[in-house]
Amino acid sequence: MGGNDRHAQIGTGLNGGMTDQSTATDRHGAVPADPSAVQDALVEWYEADHRSYPWRETTDPYEILVSEVMSQQTQLDRVVDAWEDFLDRWPTAAALAEADRSDVVGFWTSHSLGYNNRAKYLHEAAGQVVDDYDGEWPRDPDGLSDLMGVGPYTANAVASFAFNNGNAVVDTNVKRVLYRAFDVPDDDSEFEAAASKLMPGGQSRVWNNAIMELGGVACEKTPDCDGAQCPWREWCSAYETGDFTAPDVPTQPEFEGSRRQMRGRVISALKEYDELQLDQLGPRVRVDYAPEGEYGREWLRGLLEDLADDGLVDVENSDGEAVARLQR
């Protein structure tokens, strides 16, 4: 069912019987003019019980940035071990800034944390904090956005969770919650306006954690309203009507056989062997590597050029042969 269809639907309410949507929106279907009751209900629900992640127990901006970057393509439960291992090895921004970048990239690849250029950017951001800010972190989203590889969402998350100084977070989970609960149209500006209206002033840390937890626990793709004791059932249009349509979400490309997977294999091989000629590297990246084939030298050179553009790999000629190595 398309998103626009839900506004005219006559559905079966979860509380029994047929419910006319136009009647339901007299009580539901819009962000309340006074959101205080909605705010209190969500914060109380979150503070009473929520999933425990170690980065929720810290206000250290470095530790929070590491968790945010790691979780961009990795499920949270898998991030925990990687996050703890990373901080054991590089416990501060200063320690990370002093590290060999190839070691940081190698860690990223070995823990299957997604695009390894994020490791490079994290390393560079740590260097910026040490060199450009004398170890003092920017405290607001605008300042944090100046760090390498830190986009608006990540900057706002760090500002919120480290300094309680962020704006309302709007991610996929939050969009789904707002769309279902208050019939917010599937439009980024509408989601941002609704999220901003709902967030209580000066409480970005607890609020953003709470509303993302709501989307991750109670209002998932398949909702668990009663089982998770969703605190917004009293106001929720979807709960009233039984229509749990969600905004369209772009699908993640398959990892197996992807260019991203091949990039990771290049990094892993070069970390193990230090440097390799193309025909030595190729079979370690693809078992079907053939120098003159579809997945041969030309294909591998293109992959290495991408990694070189990202500052991860160097390719040099030695005795007439191209040799690849990790940048140091």
Side-chain angles (χ1 to χ4, degrees), residues 46 50-72 74-85 87 113 153 157-158 160-162 205 209 212-213:
Y46 176 77
H50 59 260
R51 292 172 297 178
S52 177
Y53 294 114
W55 48 86
R56 285 180 170 174
E57 310 304 321
T58 181
T59 58
D60 184 321
Y62 170 67
E63 295 180 356
I64 291 168
L65 177 61
V66 172
S67 75
E68 289 294 328
V69 175
M70 284 186 173
S71 63
Q72 288 174 10
T74 308
Q75 292 179 341
L76 292 183
D77 290 339
R78 286 184 50 227
V79 169
V80 174
D81 288 343
W83 183 82
E84 291 175 342
D85 290 348
L87 294 179
L113 290 167
Y153 174 84
V158 175
S160 294
F161 305 140
R205 178 182 291 130
N209 268 319
M212 288 193 294
E213 182 79 353

mmCIF file of all heavy atoms in Angstrom, residues 46 50-72 74-85 87 113 153 157-158 160-162 205 209 212-213:
data_model
loop_
_atom_site.group_PDB
_atom_site.id
_atom_site.type_symbol
_atom_site.label_atom_id
_atom_site.label_comp_id
_atom_site.label_asym_id
_atom_site.label_seq_id
_atom_site.Cartn_x
_atom_site.Cartn_y
_atom_site.Cartn_z
ATOM 1 N N TYR A 46 11.671 5.200 28.190
ATOM 2 C CA TYR A 46 13.083 4.932 27.904
ATOM 3 C C TYR A 46 13.895 4.774 29.187
ATOM 4 O O TYR A 46 14.697 3.844 29.319
ATOM 5 C CB TYR A 46 13.662 6.067 27.057
ATOM 6 C CG TYR A 46 15.143 5.923 26.806
ATOM 7 C CD1 TYR A 46 15.629 5.029 25.860
ATOM 8 C CD2 TYR A 46 16.063 6.689 27.527
ATOM 9 C CE1 TYR A 46 16.987 4.890 25.630
ATOM 10 C CE2 TYR A 46 17.422 6.557 27.307
ATOM 11 C CZ TYR A 46 17.879 5.659 26.353
ATOM 12 O OH TYR A 46 19.234 5.518 26.147
ATOM 13 N N HIS A 50 15.769 0.178 28.748
ATOM 14 C CA HIS A 50 16.219 0.292 27.367
ATOM 15 C C HIS A 50 17.416 -0.623 27.141
ATOM 16 O O HIS A 50 18.041 -1.097 28.087
ATOM 17 C CB HIS A 50 16.582 1.744 27.017
ATOM 18 C CG HIS A 50 17.667 2.330 27.881
ATOM 19 N ND1 HIS A 50 17.382 3.168 28.932
ATOM 20 C CD2 HIS A 50 19.024 2.193 27.861
ATOM 21 C CE1 HIS A 50 18.523 3.530 29.516
ATOM 22 N NE2 HIS A 50 19.528 2.954 28.888
ATOM 23 N N ARG A 51 17.706 -0.879 25.877
ATOM 24 C CA ARG A 51 18.851 -1.721 25.544
ATOM 25 C C ARG A 51 20.139 -1.076 26.061
ATOM 26 O O ARG A 51 20.293 0.140 26.001
ATOM 27 C CB ARG A 51 18.939 -1.921 24.026
ATOM 28 C CG ARG A 51 17.822 -2.753 23.437
ATOM 29 C CD ARG A 51 17.874 -2.751 21.910
ATOM 30 N NE ARG A 51 17.681 -1.408 21.374
ATOM 31 C CZ ARG A 51 17.721 -1.118 20.070
ATOM 32 N NH1 ARG A 51 17.964 -2.080 19.188
ATOM 33 N NH2 ARG A 51 17.540 0.119 19.657
ATOM 34 N N SER A 52 21.007 -1.909 26.561
ATOM 35 C CA SER A 52 22.249 -1.400 27.143
ATOM 36 C C SER A 52 23.383 -1.502 26.133
ATOM 37 O O SER A 52 23.733 -2.602 25.683
ATOM 38 C CB SER A 52 22.600 -2.201 28.405
ATOM 39 O OG SER A 52 23.839 -1.766 28.936
ATOM 40 N N TYR A 53 23.928 -0.369 25.750
ATOM 41 C CA TYR A 53 25.114 -0.311 24.903
ATOM 42 C C TYR A 53 26.156 0.552 25.614
ATOM 43 O O TYR A 53 25.809 1.577 26.220
ATOM 44 C CB TYR A 53 24.791 0.298 23.543
ATOM 45 C CG TYR A 53 23.869 -0.559 22.710
ATOM 46 C CD1 TYR A 53 22.582 -0.130 22.396
ATOM 47 C CD2 TYR A 53 24.289 -1.799 22.229
ATOM 48 C CE1 TYR A 53 21.732 -0.914 21.641
ATOM 49 C CE2 TYR A 53 23.438 -2.593 21.471
ATOM 50 C CZ TYR A 53 22.168 -2.142 21.179
ATOM 51 O OH TYR A 53 21.319 -2.933 20.432
ATOM 52 N N PRO A 54 27.431 0.171 25.554
ATOM 53 C CA PRO A 54 28.434 0.886 26.351
ATOM 54 C C PRO A 54 28.579 2.354 25.974
ATOM 55 O O PRO A 54 28.901 3.181 26.843
ATOM 56 C CB PRO A 54 29.733 0.103 26.080
ATOM 57 C CG PRO A 54 29.476 -0.681 24.825
ATOM 58 C CD PRO A 54 28.012 -0.980 24.830
ATOM 59 N N TRP A 55 28.330 2.705 24.720
ATOM 60 C CA TRP A 55 28.458 4.114 24.345
ATOM 61 C C TRP A 55 27.314 4.956 24.878
ATOM 62 O O TRP A 55 27.371 6.173 24.828
ATOM 63 C CB TRP A 55 28.557 4.256 22.820
ATOM 64 C CG TRP A 55 27.528 3.482 22.059
ATOM 65 C CD1 TRP A 55 26.263 3.874 21.745
ATOM 66 C CD2 TRP A 55 27.686 2.164 21.515
ATOM 67 N NE1 TRP A 55 25.611 2.891 21.048
ATOM 68 C CE2 TRP A 55 26.460 1.831 20.869
ATOM 69 C CE3 TRP A 55 28.726 1.247 21.489
ATOM 70 C CZ2 TRP A 55 26.265 0.602 20.227
ATOM 71 C CZ3 TRP A 55 28.530 0.034 20.844
ATOM 72 C CH2 TRP A 55 27.320 -0.274 20.230
ATOM 73 N N ARG A 56 26.274 4.312 25.390
ATOM 74 C CA ARG A 56 25.217 5.075 26.054
ATOM 75 C C ARG A 56 25.587 5.409 27.497
ATOM 76 O O ARG A 56 24.857 6.147 28.164
ATOM 77 C CB ARG A 56 23.905 4.281 26.037
ATOM 78 C CG ARG A 56 23.216 4.272 24.681
ATOM 79 C CD ARG A 56 21.920 3.482 24.716
ATOM 80 N NE ARG A 56 21.141 3.675 23.488
ATOM 81 C CZ ARG A 56 20.030 3.027 23.191
ATOM 82 N NH1 ARG A 56 19.553 2.113 24.035
ATOM 83 N NH2 ARG A 56 19.385 3.255 22.059
ATOM 84 N N GLU A 57 26.691 4.840 27.971
ATOM 85 C CA GLU A 57 27.119 5.065 29.354
ATOM 86 C C GLU A 57 28.263 6.064 29.426
ATOM 87 O O GLU A 57 28.872 6.224 30.481
ATOM 88 C CB GLU A 57 27.562 3.740 29.982
ATOM 89 C CG GLU A 57 26.573 2.592 29.825
ATOM 90 C CD GLU A 57 25.202 2.936 30.385
ATOM 91 O OE1 GLU A 57 25.143 3.595 31.441
ATOM 92 O OE2 GLU A 57 24.192 2.551 29.744
ATOM 93 N N THR A 58 28.582 6.725 28.314
ATOM 94 C CA THR A 58 29.695 7.672 28.289
ATOM 95 C C THR A 58 29.247 8.982 27.660
ATOM 96 O O THR A 58 28.290 9.014 26.885
ATOM 97 C CB THR A 58 30.876 7.106 27.485
ATOM 98 O OG1 THR A 58 31.963 8.049 27.501
ATOM 99 C CG2 THR A 58 30.504 6.829 26.041
ATOM 100 N N THR A 59 29.937 10.050 28.012
ATOM 101 C CA THR A 59 29.743 11.336 27.345
ATOM 102 C C THR A 59 31.037 11.780 26.668
ATOM 103 O O THR A 59 31.180 12.950 26.314
ATOM 104 C CB THR A 59 29.265 12.417 28.337
ATOM 105 O OG1 THR A 59 30.229 12.540 29.400
ATOM 106 C CG2 THR A 59 27.902 12.081 28.914
ATOM 107 N N ASP A 60 31.971 10.861 26.488
ATOM 108 C CA ASP A 60 33.232 11.161 25.828
ATOM 109 C C ASP A 60 32.980 11.293 24.321
ATOM 110 O O ASP A 60 32.556 10.328 23.681
ATOM 111 C CB ASP A 60 34.233 10.032 26.102
ATOM 112 C CG ASP A 60 35.616 10.307 25.521
ATOM 113 O OD1 ASP A 60 35.695 10.855 24.401
ATOM 114 O OD2 ASP A 60 36.607 9.954 26.187
ATOM 115 N N PRO A 61 33.230 12.466 23.727
ATOM 116 C CA PRO A 61 32.898 12.645 22.305
ATOM 117 C C PRO A 61 33.686 11.717 21.386
ATOM 118 O O PRO A 61 33.175 11.302 20.334
ATOM 119 C CB PRO A 61 33.244 14.116 22.039
ATOM 120 C CG PRO A 61 34.186 14.505 23.136
ATOM 121 C CD PRO A 61 33.778 13.692 24.322
ATOM 122 N N TYR A 62 34.914 11.372 21.768
ATOM 123 C CA TYR A 62 35.712 10.451 20.948
ATOM 124 C C TYR A 62 35.071 9.069 20.932
ATOM 125 O O TYR A 62 34.880 8.471 19.875
ATOM 126 C CB TYR A 62 37.134 10.373 21.502
ATOM 127 C CG TYR A 62 37.982 9.275 20.899
ATOM 128 C CD1 TYR A 62 38.367 9.328 19.559
ATOM 129 C CD2 TYR A 62 38.403 8.186 21.669
ATOM 130 C CE1 TYR A 62 39.144 8.308 18.998
ATOM 131 C CE2 TYR A 62 39.174 7.179 21.126
ATOM 132 C CZ TYR A 62 39.546 7.245 19.788
ATOM 133 O OH TYR A 62 40.315 6.245 19.247
ATOM 134 N N GLU A 63 34.710 8.567 22.089
ATOM 135 C CA GLU A 63 34.098 7.244 22.164
ATOM 136 C C GLU A 63 32.760 7.218 21.429
ATOM 137 O O GLU A 63 32.413 6.227 20.773
ATOM 138 C CB GLU A 63 33.912 6.843 23.627
ATOM 139 C CG GLU A 63 35.239 6.675 24.376
ATOM 140 C CD GLU A 63 35.058 6.269 25.822
ATOM 141 O OE1 GLU A 63 33.892 6.185 26.280
ATOM 142 O OE2 GLU A 63 36.076 6.042 26.504
ATOM 143 N N ILE A 64 32.012 8.299 21.523
ATOM 144 C CA ILE A 64 30.716 8.362 20.847
ATOM 145 C C ILE A 64 30.905 8.459 19.337
ATOM 146 O O ILE A 64 30.192 7.799 18.568
ATOM 147 C CB ILE A 64 29.885 9.538 21.396
ATOM 148 C CG1 ILE A 64 29.463 9.233 22.843
ATOM 149 C CG2 ILE A 64 28.663 9.805 20.522
ATOM 150 C CD1 ILE A 64 28.884 10.407 23.589
ATOM 151 N N LEU A 65 31.880 9.249 18.880
ATOM 152 C CA LEU A 65 32.135 9.335 17.441
ATOM 153 C C LEU A 65 32.521 7.968 16.882
ATOM 154 O O LEU A 65 32.034 7.567 15.820
ATOM 155 C CB LEU A 65 33.247 10.346 17.156
ATOM 156 C CG LEU A 65 33.639 10.471 15.681
ATOM 157 C CD1 LEU A 65 32.464 10.925 14.824
ATOM 158 C CD2 LEU A 65 34.823 11.427 15.516
ATOM 159 N N VAL A 66 33.375 7.237 17.581
ATOM 160 C CA VAL A 66 33.760 5.900 17.120
ATOM 161 C C VAL A 66 32.515 5.020 16.977
ATOM 162 O O VAL A 66 32.340 4.316 15.977
ATOM 163 C CB VAL A 66 34.787 5.256 18.073
ATOM 164 C CG1 VAL A 66 35.038 3.791 17.695
ATOM 165 C CG2 VAL A 66 36.101 6.034 18.054
ATOM 166 N N SER A 67 31.626 5.053 17.955
ATOM 167 C CA SER A 67 30.423 4.215 17.889
ATOM 168 C C SER A 67 29.530 4.631 16.727
ATOM 169 O O SER A 67 28.943 3.780 16.043
ATOM 170 C CB SER A 67 29.647 4.279 19.212
ATOM 171 O OG SER A 67 28.943 5.496 19.352
ATOM 172 N N GLU A 68 29.401 5.929 16.494
ATOM 173 C CA GLU A 68 28.545 6.403 15.410
ATOM 174 C C GLU A 68 29.090 5.994 14.050
ATOM 175 O O GLU A 68 28.338 5.567 13.167
ATOM 176 C CB GLU A 68 28.392 7.931 15.486
ATOM 177 C CG GLU A 68 27.549 8.426 16.636
ATOM 178 C CD GLU A 68 26.090 8.010 16.520
ATOM 179 O OE1 GLU A 68 25.585 7.902 15.379
ATOM 180 O OE2 GLU A 68 25.448 7.791 17.556
ATOM 181 N N VAL A 69 30.394 6.118 13.862
ATOM 182 C CA VAL A 69 30.991 5.749 12.580
ATOM 183 C C VAL A 69 30.893 4.242 12.358
ATOM 184 O O VAL A 69 30.565 3.779 11.268
ATOM 185 C CB VAL A 69 32.450 6.234 12.507
ATOM 186 C CG1 VAL A 69 33.110 5.748 11.215
ATOM 187 C CG2 VAL A 69 32.513 7.759 12.582
ATOM 188 N N MET A 70 31.139 3.471 13.402
ATOM 189 C CA MET A 70 31.060 2.012 13.271
ATOM 190 C C MET A 70 29.644 1.536 12.964
ATOM 191 O O MET A 70 29.446 0.570 12.228
ATOM 192 C CB MET A 70 31.540 1.341 14.556
ATOM 193 C CG MET A 70 33.029 1.346 14.739
ATOM 194 S SD MET A 70 33.516 0.377 16.197
ATOM 195 C CE MET A 70 35.305 0.388 16.009
ATOM 196 N N SER A 71 28.651 2.190 13.512
ATOM 197 C CA SER A 71 27.277 1.696 13.389
ATOM 198 C C SER A 71 26.601 2.115 12.091
ATOM 199 O O SER A 71 25.455 1.744 11.843
ATOM 200 C CB SER A 71 26.441 2.158 14.583
ATOM 201 O OG SER A 71 26.344 3.570 14.621
ATOM 202 N N GLN A 72 27.309 2.852 11.231
ATOM 203 C CA GLN A 72 26.679 3.308 9.989
ATOM 204 C C GLN A 72 26.301 2.159 9.066
ATOM 205 O O GLN A 72 25.356 2.267 8.300
ATOM 206 C CB GLN A 72 27.608 4.297 9.271
ATOM 207 C CG GLN A 72 27.677 5.643 9.970
ATOM 208 C CD GLN A 72 28.704 6.576 9.357
ATOM 209 O OE1 GLN A 72 29.253 6.320 8.295
ATOM 210 N NE2 GLN A 72 28.981 7.682 10.038
ATOM 211 N N THR A 74 26.686 -1.344 10.296
ATOM 212 C CA THR A 74 26.829 -2.563 11.072
ATOM 213 C C THR A 74 25.770 -2.596 12.167
ATOM 214 O O THR A 74 25.502 -1.578 12.798
ATOM 215 C CB THR A 74 28.233 -2.627 11.716
ATOM 216 O OG1 THR A 74 29.220 -2.408 10.700
ATOM 217 C CG2 THR A 74 28.481 -3.969 12.372
ATOM 218 N N GLN A 75 25.166 -3.755 12.394
ATOM 219 C CA GLN A 75 24.161 -3.886 13.446
ATOM 220 C C GLN A 75 24.787 -3.589 14.805
ATOM 221 O O GLN A 75 25.934 -3.959 15.074
ATOM 222 C CB GLN A 75 23.574 -5.293 13.437
ATOM 223 C CG GLN A 75 22.740 -5.590 12.194
ATOM 224 C CD GLN A 75 22.179 -6.998 12.206
ATOM 225 O OE1 GLN A 75 22.659 -7.866 12.930
ATOM 226 N NE2 GLN A 75 21.147 -7.219 11.406
ATOM 227 N N LEU A 76 24.008 -2.953 15.665
ATOM 228 C CA LEU A 76 24.549 -2.476 16.938
ATOM 229 C C LEU A 76 25.139 -3.593 17.786
ATOM 230 O O LEU A 76 26.179 -3.410 18.423
ATOM 231 C CB LEU A 76 23.458 -1.737 17.717
ATOM 232 C CG LEU A 76 22.985 -0.413 17.119
ATOM 233 C CD1 LEU A 76 21.967 0.236 18.040
ATOM 234 C CD2 LEU A 76 24.140 0.532 16.868
ATOM 235 N N ASP A 77 24.491 -4.750 17.815
ATOM 236 C CA ASP A 77 25.007 -5.840 18.648
ATOM 237 C C ASP A 77 26.392 -6.284 18.186
ATOM 238 O O ASP A 77 27.211 -6.725 18.994
ATOM 239 C CB ASP A 77 24.041 -7.029 18.638
ATOM 240 C CG ASP A 77 22.756 -6.725 19.396
ATOM 241 O OD1 ASP A 77 22.775 -5.799 20.239
ATOM 242 O OD2 ASP A 77 21.740 -7.393 19.146
ATOM 243 N N ARG A 78 26.666 -6.169 16.881
ATOM 244 C CA ARG A 78 27.980 -6.530 16.362
ATOM 245 C C ARG A 78 29.004 -5.438 16.602
ATOM 246 O O ARG A 78 30.207 -5.693 16.607
ATOM 247 C CB ARG A 78 27.895 -6.821 14.860
ATOM 248 C CG ARG A 78 27.235 -8.158 14.514
ATOM 249 C CD ARG A 78 27.276 -8.412 13.016
ATOM 250 N NE ARG A 78 28.616 -8.210 12.482
ATOM 251 C CZ ARG A 78 28.894 -7.515 11.379
ATOM 252 N NH1 ARG A 78 27.923 -6.937 10.702
ATOM 253 N NH2 ARG A 78 30.132 -7.401 10.957
ATOM 254 N N VAL A 79 28.544 -4.214 16.772
ATOM 255 C CA VAL A 79 29.467 -3.095 16.970
ATOM 256 C C VAL A 79 30.144 -3.169 18.334
ATOM 257 O O VAL A 79 31.290 -2.732 18.495
ATOM 258 C CB VAL A 79 28.720 -1.748 16.809
ATOM 259 C CG1 VAL A 79 29.575 -0.578 17.270
ATOM 260 C CG2 VAL A 79 28.306 -1.547 15.359
ATOM 261 N N VAL A 80 29.466 -3.722 19.337
ATOM 262 C CA VAL A 80 29.962 -3.670 20.713
ATOM 263 C C VAL A 80 31.390 -4.201 20.822
ATOM 264 O O VAL A 80 32.283 -3.520 21.354
ATOM 265 C CB VAL A 80 29.028 -4.442 21.677
ATOM 266 C CG1 VAL A 80 29.642 -4.494 23.073
ATOM 267 C CG2 VAL A 80 27.655 -3.770 21.739
ATOM 268 N N ASP A 81 31.642 -5.410 20.329
ATOM 269 C CA ASP A 81 32.977 -5.995 20.453
ATOM 270 C C ASP A 81 34.013 -5.179 19.687
ATOM 271 O O ASP A 81 35.124 -4.954 20.183
ATOM 272 C CB ASP A 81 32.982 -7.441 19.945
ATOM 273 C CG ASP A 81 32.262 -8.391 20.889
ATOM 274 O OD1 ASP A 81 32.050 -8.021 22.061
ATOM 275 O OD2 ASP A 81 31.908 -9.503 20.454
ATOM 276 N N ALA A 82 33.651 -4.739 18.477
ATOM 277 C CA ALA A 82 34.588 -3.951 17.675
ATOM 278 C C ALA A 82 34.911 -2.633 18.367
ATOM 279 O O ALA A 82 36.070 -2.188 18.402
ATOM 280 C CB ALA A 82 34.007 -3.699 16.290
ATOM 281 N N TRP A 83 33.884 -1.991 18.924
ATOM 282 C CA TRP A 83 34.065 -0.708 19.627
ATOM 283 C C TRP A 83 34.998 -0.884 20.820
ATOM 284 O O TRP A 83 35.918 -0.081 21.031
ATOM 285 C CB TRP A 83 32.693 -0.196 20.055
ATOM 286 C CG TRP A 83 32.649 1.133 20.727
ATOM 287 C CD1 TRP A 83 32.650 2.360 20.119
ATOM 288 C CD2 TRP A 83 32.551 1.392 22.136
ATOM 289 N NE1 TRP A 83 32.559 3.363 21.057
ATOM 290 C CE2 TRP A 83 32.487 2.792 22.301
ATOM 291 C CE3 TRP A 83 32.498 0.568 23.257
ATOM 292 C CZ2 TRP A 83 32.389 3.385 23.555
ATOM 293 C CZ3 TRP A 83 32.393 1.164 24.504
ATOM 294 C CH2 TRP A 83 32.343 2.546 24.655
ATOM 295 N N GLU A 84 34.772 -1.924 21.603
ATOM 296 C CA GLU A 84 35.619 -2.147 22.776
ATOM 297 C C GLU A 84 37.052 -2.480 22.366
ATOM 298 O O GLU A 84 38.015 -1.994 22.972
ATOM 299 C CB GLU A 84 35.017 -3.253 23.635
ATOM 300 C CG GLU A 84 33.716 -2.834 24.314
ATOM 301 C CD GLU A 84 33.023 -3.951 25.075
ATOM 302 O OE1 GLU A 84 33.346 -5.136 24.801
ATOM 303 O OE2 GLU A 84 32.166 -3.642 25.932
ATOM 304 N N ASP A 85 37.218 -3.298 21.313
ATOM 305 C CA ASP A 85 38.561 -3.630 20.833
ATOM 306 C C ASP A 85 39.284 -2.391 20.315
ATOM 307 O O ASP A 85 40.487 -2.209 20.551
ATOM 308 C CB ASP A 85 38.480 -4.672 19.705
ATOM 309 C CG ASP A 85 38.057 -6.048 20.207
ATOM 310 O OD1 ASP A 85 38.045 -6.258 21.439
ATOM 311 O OD2 ASP A 85 37.737 -6.909 19.356
ATOM 312 N N LEU A 87 38.809 0.778 21.182
ATOM 313 C CA LEU A 87 39.183 1.677 22.272
ATOM 314 C C LEU A 87 40.270 1.077 23.153
ATOM 315 O O LEU A 87 41.046 1.813 23.768
ATOM 316 C CB LEU A 87 37.949 2.035 23.093
ATOM 317 C CG LEU A 87 36.898 2.870 22.348
ATOM 318 C CD1 LEU A 87 35.694 3.142 23.241
ATOM 319 C CD2 LEU A 87 37.485 4.186 21.847
ATOM 320 N N LEU A 113 33.635 -3.793 9.148
ATOM 321 C CA LEU A 113 32.888 -2.603 9.559
ATOM 322 C C LEU A 113 32.458 -1.719 8.387
ATOM 323 O O LEU A 113 32.156 -0.557 8.575
ATOM 324 C CB LEU A 113 33.739 -1.786 10.548
ATOM 325 C CG LEU A 113 33.908 -2.439 11.916
ATOM 326 C CD1 LEU A 113 35.005 -1.741 12.711
ATOM 327 C CD2 LEU A 113 32.603 -2.435 12.695
ATOM 328 N N TYR A 153 24.364 14.225 10.164
ATOM 329 C CA TYR A 153 23.737 13.310 11.118
ATOM 330 C C TYR A 153 24.704 12.943 12.237
ATOM 331 O O TYR A 153 24.361 13.005 13.421
ATOM 332 C CB TYR A 153 23.254 12.040 10.417
ATOM 333 C CG TYR A 153 22.725 11.018 11.398
ATOM 334 C CD1 TYR A 153 21.413 11.087 11.859
ATOM 335 C CD2 TYR A 153 23.561 10.036 11.922
ATOM 336 C CE1 TYR A 153 20.945 10.187 12.803
ATOM 337 C CE2 TYR A 153 23.097 9.133 12.866
ATOM 338 C CZ TYR A 153 21.793 9.214 13.300
ATOM 339 O OH TYR A 153 21.334 8.342 14.253
ATOM 340 N N ALA A 157 24.542 13.753 16.248
ATOM 341 C CA ALA A 157 24.523 12.683 17.243
ATOM 342 C C ALA A 157 25.594 12.899 18.299
ATOM 343 O O ALA A 157 25.336 12.750 19.502
ATOM 344 C CB ALA A 157 24.721 11.331 16.550
ATOM 345 N N VAL A 158 26.810 13.259 17.881
ATOM 346 C CA VAL A 158 27.887 13.490 18.855
ATOM 347 C C VAL A 158 27.557 14.695 19.728
ATOM 348 O O VAL A 158 27.750 14.670 20.949
ATOM 349 C CB VAL A 158 29.236 13.673 18.139
ATOM 350 C CG1 VAL A 158 30.334 14.024 19.149
ATOM 351 C CG2 VAL A 158 29.619 12.402 17.382
ATOM 352 N N SER A 160 24.653 15.723 20.532
ATOM 353 C CA SER A 160 23.558 15.331 21.428
ATOM 354 C C SER A 160 24.053 14.455 22.574
ATOM 355 O O SER A 160 23.792 14.733 23.744
ATOM 356 C CB SER A 160 22.480 14.570 20.646
ATOM 357 O OG SER A 160 21.850 15.405 19.710
ATOM 358 N N PHE A 161 24.766 13.395 22.225
ATOM 359 C CA PHE A 161 25.086 12.370 23.221
ATOM 360 C C PHE A 161 26.314 12.722 24.065
ATOM 361 O O PHE A 161 26.424 12.278 25.207
ATOM 362 C CB PHE A 161 25.279 11.019 22.534
ATOM 363 C CG PHE A 161 24.091 10.611 21.698
ATOM 364 C CD1 PHE A 161 24.248 10.004 20.460
ATOM 365 C CD2 PHE A 161 22.797 10.852 22.145
ATOM 366 C CE1 PHE A 161 23.159 9.640 19.692
ATOM 367 C CE2 PHE A 161 21.703 10.495 21.384
ATOM 368 C CZ PHE A 161 21.873 9.885 20.153
ATOM 369 N N ALA A 162 27.213 13.541 23.536
ATOM 370 C CA ALA A 162 28.382 13.946 24.311
ATOM 371 C C ALA A 162 28.134 15.227 25.087
ATOM 372 O O ALA A 162 28.559 15.355 26.241
ATOM 373 C CB ALA A 162 29.588 14.121 23.388
ATOM 374 N N ARG A 205 20.109 14.729 24.515
ATOM 375 C CA ARG A 205 20.753 13.447 24.830
ATOM 376 C C ARG A 205 19.710 12.366 25.101
ATOM 377 O O ARG A 205 19.679 11.333 24.435
ATOM 378 C CB ARG A 205 21.689 13.596 26.019
ATOM 379 C CG ARG A 205 22.366 12.267 26.421
ATOM 380 C CD ARG A 205 23.247 12.448 27.654
ATOM 381 N NE ARG A 205 24.402 13.257 27.364
ATOM 382 C CZ ARG A 205 24.803 14.318 28.091
ATOM 383 N NH1 ARG A 205 24.097 14.685 29.157
ATOM 384 N NH2 ARG A 205 25.876 14.991 27.755
ATOM 385 N N ASN A 209 18.128 9.525 22.112
ATOM 386 C CA ASN A 209 18.268 8.108 22.457
ATOM 387 C C ASN A 209 16.905 7.435 22.551
ATOM 388 O O ASN A 209 16.705 6.321 22.063
ATOM 389 C CB ASN A 209 19.008 7.957 23.788
ATOM 390 C CG ASN A 209 20.504 7.808 23.632
ATOM 391 O OD1 ASN A 209 20.980 7.113 22.743
ATOM 392 N ND2 ASN A 209 21.266 8.457 24.498
ATOM 393 N N MET A 212 14.943 7.024 19.073
ATOM 394 C CA MET A 212 15.568 5.987 18.247
ATOM 395 C C MET A 212 15.339 4.603 18.854
ATOM 396 O O MET A 212 15.160 3.617 18.132
ATOM 397 C CB MET A 212 17.054 6.278 18.073
ATOM 398 C CG MET A 212 17.323 7.457 17.146
ATOM 399 S SD MET A 212 19.050 7.606 16.630
ATOM 400 C CE MET A 212 19.831 7.995 18.178
ATOM 401 N N GLU A 213 15.322 4.540 20.177
ATOM 402 C CA GLU A 213 15.021 3.267 20.838
ATOM 403 C C GLU A 213 13.585 2.836 20.536
ATOM 404 O O GLU A 213 13.319 1.648 20.303
ATOM 405 C CB GLU A 213 15.205 3.426 22.354
ATOM 406 C CG GLU A 213 14.962 2.160 23.151
ATOM 407 C CD GLU A 213 16.135 1.188 23.120
ATOM 408 O OE1 GLU A 213 17.103 1.429 22.367
ATOM 409 O OE2 GLU A 213 16.093 0.182 23.850
#
